[in-house]
Amino acid sequence: MNARNTRSRNARNTRSRSARNTRNTTVRLSVSSLRAHKRRFAGTFLAVFLGVAFLAGTLVMGDTLRASFDTMFGNATSGTDAVVRSADAITTPGESEGVREPVDTDLVSTIERVPGVAAAAPDIQGAGQLVGKDGDPIGGQGPPTLAGNWITDPDLNPYRLAEGRAPERSGEVVVNRGTAERGALKIGDTTTLRTPDPLKVTIVGLATFGGEDGMAQVTFTGMTRADAEKYLTAEPGEAAGIQVRAGPGVSQQELVDRLTPVLPEGVEAITGQESARENTEMISSQFLTLFTTFLLVFSGVALLVATFSIHNTFAIVVAQRTRENALLRALGASRRQVTAATLAEATAVAVTASAAGLAGGTGIAAGLQALFPAIGFPFPEGDLVISALSMTLPLAVGILVCLGSALLPAVRVGRTAPLAALRETAVDTSGASRARAVTGLGLGALAIGVTLTGVLVSPSVWLAGFGAVLALASFVVLGPVASTTAVRILGGPLDRLRGVTGALARRNALRSPKRTAATASALMIGVAVVSLFTVFGASLKATMDQTVSRSFAGDVAVSTPSFGAGGSGLSPRLADAVQRLPEVDTAVGLGRGVAEVDGRGRALTVTDPVALERTFDLGEIKGSLRGLGTDGIALTRKEADRQNLATGDQARLTFTDGEQQTFTVRAVYGRSELAGDYIITREAWAPHRTQDADTLLAVSFKDGVGTDEGKAAVEKTAARYGNPDVQTRDEYAQSSAGGIDMMLTLVYALLALAVLIALLGIANTLTLAVHERTRELGLLRAVGQTRAQLRAMVRWESVLVAAFGTAGGLALGAFLGWVLVKASDSTSDSAFAFALPPLQLALVALVGLTAGALAGLRPASRAARLDVLRAIATE
Amino acid sequence: MTTTTAARVVDAVKVYGTGDTGVRALDGVSVDFPVGRFTAIMGPSGSGKSTLMHCAAGLDTLTSGAAHVGDTDLSTLDDRRLTLLRRDRVGFVFQAFNLVPTLTVAENIRLPLDLAGAEGDPEWIAALIDVVGLRDRLHHRPSELSGGQQQRVAVARAFAGQPDVVFADEPTGNLDSRSGEEVLGLLGRAVRQTSRTVVMVTHDPMAAAHADEVVFLADGRLVDRMTAPTADKVLDRMKAFEVPS
């Protein structure tokens, strides 16, 4: 009994010892091979590092910003226990924040009588843009430019007076400190506030918001309550909301409960906390979410590119080690052991690179936190918020990407036949197999089919997107098939230009189609995304151009920035003033209103329809724009079809002041574009108006008046109304597209990362290839190839691989750009134009080729340094 | 000035490593390789015969002493000039891995000429191709040829640029005896019919027997020379090395 136990324990011990030994051997093997091939994994390490760092940096920065905004709003509104406001908001498509009906300021006295209320103050808000010392308006390029009444109860005012005093007389204002600094304004300065009517104001105080110089980039101007009512609201007695402070011992919820019974129908009370949360949410959804999503997409692209580079490195390293692994197998290593050794190697690289990436990402976030204030963006102070998610997610993604990329090569290692140890070389030259060609072509056909269906037959962004993914997949599968032909064609001129050096470079690139394709794929994806954005940007510009040239029949336009909520619009009196000029035939101002049309929130164009018809091409018009009057409405054919309305039908509009009115459809027009989907007259809008502002003023001159002459006259008049820009038709079209260039620049900067990773991949593959061809390079040197020729040969190979990737990327990018444009066209109301910008795309191609030449530099110089004799003697 | 030696080394010393661990691979060797002669360098392994060839051909540099190809003192040349000298005035046949796998037979033969951007002598090359008997294989890749055929291509490449001297390092080391005979015959014919100069390193008495003269190396020194060698005579001489002295 005892003996048996001992025996079995011994056996168990032996077994576990041997298992441990096996594991140790595996680990030892991979560690030693890692150490021996440090250089080979430098590229892999960098690729994972960059991707993870970018991802982690984005997450940490997002969390930190969100937390900072939370704190800021919390601080700013800590004294407000409840907010009273209209219960319903009208939200138009494409807007995150709805428009609320104003509340009556008379309600303040009612509220003050409620037991438990310590104080209440109306919050009157509107748009107001300050003009800086240099005469240029401050802000207006995105974040809102707000003006409001300076609430005298310091606890209810989210802004705190930091310097100076509160406004007491008409024309005195308090400005948040960030805005004052941006406009180089100080206490005592007199400047203009566009509300949008220009208003002379004197700065008497500077304010902070929640301890910061401002609420991010939002500008705020606080005026006396009388001024605010006069300039920011349609009529006195209206406020956006009422801030309420509770007396001692009354909780926020108790306050709300007590307020609710005294409020009229359609007006609600919410707690201060709820209001702060809504504000944070709003800024998060408008700015942060967009910002972080944008960055996350780009780290995704970078990591996708990295996948190809990493896979390639492992595939090559494994191929080169075939003999070594075969020897191990011959000596008795199991399939599992050699596979595990390779995977262990990948894990080691993945974990170190990802961990380094986390550190790098935190560094990036810290750097940005320091950098942002320097470029005028008040990144709130506070510690970096490093959540578990923002650490574990990038780590997991990094390890997954690395291991996933190494998986196939590792499995291939396991299949190494022991006999392979006896074979000479083991470079994988396969690639252009029939099955691959068939699969790739099938995928391609499917991709085109799905995409075309999603774009043309039954418009669906999802279907089009799925088609785009399929297209990418088919490009990757077809890569090795195409690489042979493509390199042959692309490298054709090389033979003639560079003689035998060129021919050698070309044939080296042709050697292993799979490898060439995988290397090029990384660059292809980078270039494809760059071209996609280039094509989409150019198409957007072309669309703007087309829109303006097709529907704008005027000579000059006066407009406010075309994107974001910033700016204060144009003075509605500007149109009348311009109309009185002797040079002007028609001047029509377009204002913007909001209403619910048969229950759906819609943007209205408020204008003089008769003048509008003269300066805009509205397409085919059914009915007449002449007699809209105070109860008529005109709408586009598209909206008419969607709402099932025709001329003569009735539509019920609900305005932000809560009033409902029935309008008769008097005209249906063909082209919306600049004019908007619904048109009503100024007279019809007047009873429901909020702060008056026009967004666009279109001017056409009398016959015989030159554009320059007319423009000068309009400019002179405009100067008296806050000096907005006066633009010719071309300038107007260009400025409408101005934001696109800014977006593209940002996109290019971010994509540089992906291209950099692709470049590392090319360099890495080449370095490995050079290592693999040591003997051949030695032979070439022995029979008379100079170092310069050798370097040129490696560099040209690199350029060829890059050229293949770039060509594929351009084709794929142009196709995806077309898909995106067509999908946007068929799912949105406005017509999209498709444009292929030849100059920009040529530039993209040039960048791709340059990247190739750069990537070849280091491998080339390493190859040239080879000692001839050692190269010949290499086993 | 004309000379009767295609290549020569004078007091050639090559030391690998330094100090106590230094190995004297060549220890004061002086030898001429006359124009129009087929010289074989023989010796047991470690005797320095490959080092001698590498130094004489400009693939390696001497620690002291001089190496000349024609009238050119190799020690005065930098890496670039050495490369150009190898390209224009020296031909090589190595034991294995002689051909660039991505180039065809014809391109491999023309490789040194193409690297120089030179036209070469088309008649000479055409004749060479016929001599090595590969006219029907010109557009094949090296991987499609047998070992013997590959070495014959290498021989054609070595002579394509009409070099001053062709160095062959164990050219038959990887071949069966019949293919080996063919390659050696080619080298011999090239020397005798076209007055070319060949220096061949070998350890095979049968191969050495194709040469006009054999020089024997042992421990980095020149120990003997033999004209009109036969396989038996060479074998006998080689056996003498193996007797411990």
Side-chain angles (χ1 to χ4, degrees):
Chain A
M1 191 72 187
N2 258 343
R4 253 174 65 192
N5 267 348
T6 316
R7 216 173 26 244
S8 84
R9 201 179 314 131
N10 277 347
R12 223 176 12 248
N13 279 346
T14 316
R15 251 203 317 279
S16 76
R17 207 178 308 131
S18 82
R20 204 163 44 241
N21 280 344
T22 307
R23 239 188 344 267
N24 285 345
T25 313
T26 308
V27 170
R28 232 189 354 263
L29 275 177
S30 46
V31 168
S32 65
S33 95
L34 262 182
R35 218 178 275 143
H37 308 293
K38 266 193 304 250
R39 244 170 221 289
R40 300 184 190 179
F41 290 103
T44 305
F45 180 89
L46 265 177
V48 178
F49 170 78
L50 288 175
V52 170
F54 200 75
L55 188 60
T58 303
L59 291 174
V60 169
M61 197 174 61
D63 285 348
T64 306
L65 277 173
R66 204 160 284 135
S68 304
F69 282 127
D70 266 347
T71 321
M72 199 169 76
F73 280 113
N75 286 342
T77 59
S78 57
T80 303
D81 295 313
V83 172
V84 174
R85 64 174 189 196
S86 277
D88 302 314
I90 298 179
T91 311
T92 55
E95 267 191 337
S96 56
E97 193 193 2
V99 178
R100 277 176 204 278
E101 181 189 336
V103 292
D104 202 326
T105 44
D106 288 346
L107 211 52
V108 172
S109 48
T110 316
I111 290 170
E112 276 169 341
R113 282 197 297 273
V114 172
V117 169
D123 175 21
I124 301 161
Q125 263 189 22
Q129 193 173 19
L130 274 175
V131 175
K133 191 117 197 150
D134 54 3
D136 286 338
I138 306 166
Q141 299 293 319
T145 52
L146 300 179
N149 61 320
W150 181 260
I151 297 171
T152 44
D153 184 331
D155 285 333
L156 289 178
N157 193 338
Y159 285 89
R160 297 271 178 289
L161 207 52
E163 286 171 54
R165 58 176 175 82
E168 283 159 9
R169 270 185 295 274
S170 175
E172 290 180 343
V173 293
V174 170
V175 178
N176 74 299
R177 191 144 60 185
T179 305
E181 273 168 16
R182 271 200 286 162
L185 297 169
K186 48 188 195 307
I187 292 177
D189 282 354
T190 302
T191 184
T192 305
L193 180 70
R194 298 183 185 173
T195 64
D197 274 329
L199 180 68
K200 279 266 167 273
V201 294
T202 306
I203 297 170
V204 297
L206 299 181
T208 55
F209 182 89
E212 303 294 331
D213 284 349
M215 185 173 113
Q217 294 283 73
V218 173
T219 73
F220 175 77
T221 309
M223 37 206 334
T224 61
R225 181 168 162 184
D227 274 359
E229 287 189 330
K230 185 170 166 196
Y231 297 107
L232 303 179
T233 60
E235 53 204 82
E238 289 178 351
I242 295 166
Q243 325 262 64
V244 187
R245 182 155 53 87
V250 180
S251 77
Q252 292 199 348
Q253 192 53 52
E254 278 168 10
L255 182 65
V256 167
D257 292 343
R258 288 187 202 183
L259 285 174
T260 307
V262 305
L263 298 176
E265 202 187 333
V267 176
E268 65 175 2
I270 57 169
T271 62
Q273 276 164 358
E274 171 80 6
S275 166
R277 201 188 52 73
E278 274 184 12
N279 278 329
T280 314
E281 198 93 308
M282 182 195 79
I283 208 154
S284 291
S285 67
Q286 277 186 348
F287 163 72
L288 275 179
T289 309
L290 193 75
F291 187 59
T292 45
T293 310
F294 201 60
L295 290 180
L296 285 178
V297 165
F298 285 99
S299 48
V301 172
L303 281 165
L304 182 64
V305 170
T307 309
F308 284 89
S309 293
I310 298 165
H311 170 81
N312 221 24
T313 305
F314 274 99
I316 297 171
V317 168
V318 155
Q320 286 180 352
R321 245 188 268 144
T322 304
R323 292 181 78 173
E324 196 181 310
N325 284 322
L327 185 65
L328 284 176
R329 293 273 282 123
L331 294 178
S334 74
R335 217 171 240 226
R336 276 243 305 278
Q337 277 171 317
V338 282
T339 303
T342 303
L343 278 181
E345 218 170 313
T347 312
V349 174
V351 170
T352 43
S354 302
L358 288 187
T362 315
I364 290 175
L368 283 176
Q369 197 179 21
L371 187 74
F372 271 19
I375 56 170
F377 186 97
F379 196 113
E381 276 179 38
D383 295 334
L384 283 181
V385 178
I386 300 172
S387 70
L389 182 73
S390 62
M391 288 292 110
T392 46
L393 185 72
L395 190 70
V397 169
I399 292 175
L400 218 69
V401 160
C402 199
L403 279 185
S405 314
L407 195 64
L408 265 179
V411 168
R412 216 172 293 146
V413 167
R415 295 213 198 99
T416 312
L419 266 180
L422 308 173
R423 274 182 229 130
E424 177 61 19
T425 43
V427 177
D428 182 12
T429 53
S430 71
S433 77
R434 221 187 156 71
R436 179 178 281 277
V438 170
T439 317
L441 287 177
L443 265 177
L446 190 67
I448 290 173
V450 169
T451 314
L452 290 185
T453 312
V455 169
L456 302 175
V457 184
S458 65
S460 143
V461 176
W462 291 111
L463 213 55
F466 179 58
V469 172
L470 280 180
L472 176 69
S474 83
F475 262 65
V476 170
V477 171
L478 277 178
V481 184
S483 74
T484 312
T485 322
V487 170
R488 228 172 247 151
I489 294 169
L490 290 169
L494 261 189
D495 286 27
R496 241 163 296 129
L497 283 174
R498 303 292 313 215
V500 73
T501 305
L504 283 168
R506 188 161 64 97
R507 291 189 205 175
N508 282 339
L510 282 170
R511 271 185 164 176
S512 171
K514 253 188 205 161
R515 189 189 293 179
T516 300
T519 312
S521 291
L523 186 62
M524 181 187 80
I525 292 170
V527 170
V529 182
V530 171
S531 330
L532 164 68
F533 278 100
T534 306
V535 168
F536 191 63
S539 299
L540 280 183
K541 277 187 180 177
T543 304
M544 299 279 187
D545 223 45
Q546 172 189 300
T547 305
V548 170
S549 65
R550 208 163 57 181
S551 43
F552 185 72
D555 291 305
V556 293
V558 186
S559 72
T560 49
S562 59
F563 59 101
S568 54
L570 303 167
S571 164
R573 294 207 303 277
L574 177 62
D576 295 336
V578 171
Q579 179 68 70
R580 284 195 296 272
L581 289 171
E583 291 88 352
V584 171
D585 177 61
T586 312
V588 56
L590 277 70
R592 190 176 171 281
V594 168
E596 275 180 3
V597 180
D598 288 339
R600 293 190 193 84
R602 290 287 183 258
L604 309 176
T605 302
V606 180
T607 187
D608 171 3
V610 182
L612 182 81
E613 204 182 340
R614 280 206 295 266
T615 31
F616 288 87
D617 179 2
L618 296 176
E620 190 198 351
I621 302 175
K622 271 220 174 96
S624 167
L625 285 164
R626 286 187 175 274
L628 290 192
T630 53
D631 61 352
I633 189 167
L635 69 165
T636 51
R637 161 125 340 271
K638 233 173 211 164
E639 282 295 310
D641 289 347
R642 193 175 297 168
Q643 306 261 48
N644 239 338
L645 290 169
T647 45
D649 286 354
Q650 310 274 302
R652 211 177 55 196
L653 271 67
T654 310
F655 291 94
T656 47
D657 56 7
E659 292 199 20
Q660 294 193 354
Q661 193 187 336
T662 302
F663 278 74
T664 307
V665 177
R666 299 250 158 80
V668 173
Y669 55 94
R671 200 166 280 158
S672 64
E673 298 180 344
L674 295 175
D677 284 329
Y678 293 86
I679 298 173
I680 63 170
T681 60
R682 287 189 189 279
E683 293 74 33
W685 175 248
H688 318 286
R689 74 200 164 99
T690 45
Q691 187 181 11
D692 260 347
D694 280 356
T695 52
L696 175 66
L697 172 67
V699 183
S700 57
F701 300 135
K702 286 192 177 129
D703 286 345
V705 175
T707 309
D708 290 341
E709 182 194 343
K711 188 182 167 193
V714 175
E715 267 170 350
K716 228 167 127 190
T717 308
R720 281 186 279 125
Y721 292 88
N723 203 15
D725 270 352
V726 180
Q727 296 162 319
T728 61
R729 269 170 66 152
D730 287 347
E731 286 166 349
Y732 174 52
Q734 267 165 32
S735 78
S736 308
I740 296 166
D741 280 332
M742 222 171 81
M743 175 199 85
L744 280 183
T745 312
L746 186 62
V747 166
Y748 290 154
L750 292 170
L751 283 173
L753 180 73
V755 173
L756 178 71
I757 291 179
L759 196 144
L760 284 173
I762 296 180
N764 209 31
T765 308
L766 269 179
T767 305
L768 294 169
V770 161
H771 174 82
E772 209 167 70
R773 296 176 200 151
T774 307
R775 300 192 72 176
E776 184 184 329
L777 297 176
L779 171 73
L780 281 165
R781 292 276 289 124
V783 302
Q785 188 177 43
T786 61
R787 279 178 203 241
Q789 283 175 319
L790 177 58
R791 274 197 298 268
M793 180 177 87
V794 177
R795 272 201 314 266
W796 278 111
E797 181 182 351
S798 174
V799 170
L800 267 178
V801 173
F804 172 52
T806 306
L810 282 175
L812 187 62
F815 174 68
L816 295 184
W818 179 82
V819 171
L820 187 57
V821 169
K822 288 293 156 192
S824 311
D825 187 30
S826 46
T827 52
S828 88
D829 291 347
S830 37
F832 268 66
F834 175 70
L836 279 176
L839 200 69
Q840 277 99 313
L841 289 180
L843 202 68
V844 172
L846 194 69
V847 168
L849 293 184
T850 314
L854 284 178
L857 282 184
R858 236 178 71 85
S861 74
R862 274 173 62 91
R865 280 204 302 271
L866 277 179
D867 178 27
V868 180
L869 271 186
R870 291 226 346 242
I872 301 176
T874 305
E875 265 308 301
Chain B
M1 191 179 108
T2 56
T3 172
T4 52
T5 56
R8 66 195 158 97
V9 293
V10 182
D11 294 330
V13 174
K14 178 71 183 180
V15 181
Y16 291 112
T18 50
D20 292 344
T21 55
V23 177
R24 290 179 88 82
L26 291 179
D27 193 3
V29 177
S30 294
V31 62
D32 289 1
F33 302 110
V35 168
R37 294 289 287 274
F38 185 172
T39 310
I41 304 174
M42 287 210 71
S45 55
S47 62
K49 54 186 192 300
S50 284
T51 307
L52 175 62
M53 191 210 99
H54 291 153
C55 292
L59 286 170
D60 205 351
T61 51
L62 288 169
T63 310
S64 73
H68 290 81
V69 168
D71 294 329
T72 312
D73 182 354
L74 301 188
S75 64
T76 63
L77 304 181
D78 59 11
D79 177 79
R80 204 182 103 79
R81 284 163 194 277
L82 266 181
T83 305
L84 298 186
L85 174 116
R86 289 199 302 267
R87 189 178 80 189
D88 300 334
R89 296 174 56 189
V90 178
F92 286 99
V93 181
F94 296 106
Q95 177 175 0
F97 211 84
N98 249 309
L99 307 178
V100 178
T102 49
L103 299 181
T104 63
V105 167
E107 287 165 331
N108 264 296
I109 293 174
R110 284 193 52 85
L111 182 58
L113 289 168
D114 283 341
L115 283 171
E119 265 309 301
D121 179 352
E123 280 177 40
W124 168 255
I125 293 168
L128 260 180
I129 290 168
D130 287 330
V131 170
V132 298
L134 289 163
R135 186 156 289 285
D136 55 336
R137 299 279 161 137
L138 283 181
H139 300 293
H140 288 232
R141 291 287 161 93
S143 57
E144 299 164 319
L145 303 182
S146 72
Q149 285 170 327
Q150 289 187 17
Q151 287 304 79
R152 274 150 55 198
V153 176
V155 170
R157 193 228 9 247
F159 285 104
Q162 297 180 287
D164 290 359
V165 52
V166 169
F167 289 99
D169 188 358
E170 304 271 12
T172 58
N174 272 10
L175 299 181
D176 60 80
S177 57
R178 216 181 66 109
S179 305
E181 278 297 311
E182 267 177 27
V183 170
L184 291 165
L186 270 177
L187 287 173
R189 255 178 290 151
V191 172
R192 272 147 223 143
Q193 289 170 7
T194 63
S195 299
R196 294 287 127 191
T197 309
V198 172
V199 178
M200 173 176 74
V201 168
T202 183
H203 65 266
D204 176 11
M206 299 284 283
H210 285 264
D212 299 321
E213 185 181 13
V214 181
V215 296
F216 293 94
L217 247 59
D219 297 329
R221 293 165 193 273
L222 186 68
V223 290
D224 202 359
R225 307 182 72 126
M226 180 190 288
T227 43
T230 66
D232 288 341
K233 273 164 73 184
V234 173
L235 191 60
D236 286 343
R237 186 65 192 81
M238 287 297 285
K239 277 182 184 157
F241 289 120
E242 283 159 28
V243 180
S245 48

